[in-house]
């Protein structure tokens, strides 16, 4: 977390697999509003979903610095007021986990 010109900015990089989620959520819950900078290929669904659920309605801008893949794109992009992707950055969305089947294409009517 850093202090930006318009308020707090959360910087998320990597998969976040080693992050102390309970500690991060305490900090995030205290923020009325913030911007986020991401450079990540995603990570564990439950972790990213918990972060997003705690930030609904409170992300001003989400800045993509090179990459926002998978869980980052699935859960943070939809709840940001605006998304700003640097030139050459990639946003890779692939849908979420399928709770009805362990087979990736089951029920998707893909042949």
């Amino acid at each position: 977390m850093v202090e930006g010109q318009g308020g707090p900015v959360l910087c998320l990089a990597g998969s976040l697999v080693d992050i102390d989620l309970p500690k991060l959520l305490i900090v995030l819950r205290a923020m009325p509003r913030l911007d986020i900078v991401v450079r990540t290929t995603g990570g564990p669904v439950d972790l990213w979903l918990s972060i997003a659920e705690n930030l609904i309605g409170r992300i001003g801008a989400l800045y993509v610095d090179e990459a926002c893949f998978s869980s980052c794109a699935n859960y943070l992009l939809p709840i940001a007021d605006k998304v700003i992707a640097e030139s050459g950055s990639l946003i890779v969305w692939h849908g979420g986990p399928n709770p009805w089947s362990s087979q990736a294409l089951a029920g998707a009517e893909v042949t």
Side-chain angles (χ1 to χ4, degrees):
M1 186 78 66
V2 297
E3 191 62 34
Q5 293 177 357
V9 178
L10 176 64
C11 301
L12 298 174
S15 72
L16 307 185
V17 72
D18 294 325
I19 199 162
D20 183 343
L21 183 61
K23 185 176 179 180
L24 175 62
L25 294 180
I26 289 169
V27 172
L28 293 181
R29 288 178 185 136
M31 300 286 162
R33 194 140 179 89
L34 71 160
D35 291 335
I36 299 179
V37 177
V38 295
R39 181 187 283 186
T40 174
T41 56
V45 169
D46 55 342
L47 189 150
W48 283 89
L49 188 55
S50 292
I51 292 169
E53 288 173 338
N54 281 276
L55 290 174
I56 292 173
R58 298 187 295 127
I59 300 175
L62 185 130
Y63 298 90
V64 178
D65 179 19
E66 290 187 12
C68 179
F69 294 4
S70 193
S71 290
C72 173
N74 290 356
Y75 306 118
L76 291 188
L77 264 68
I79 63 168
D81 289 349
K82 67 179 171 180
V83 175
I84 301 163
E86 295 295 323
S87 178
S89 293
L90 292 173
I91 296 172
V92 179
W93 178 85
H94 61 77
N98 182 348
W100 300 283
S101 172
S102 61
Q103 297 176 0
L105 298 177
E109 298 182 19
V110 175
T111 57

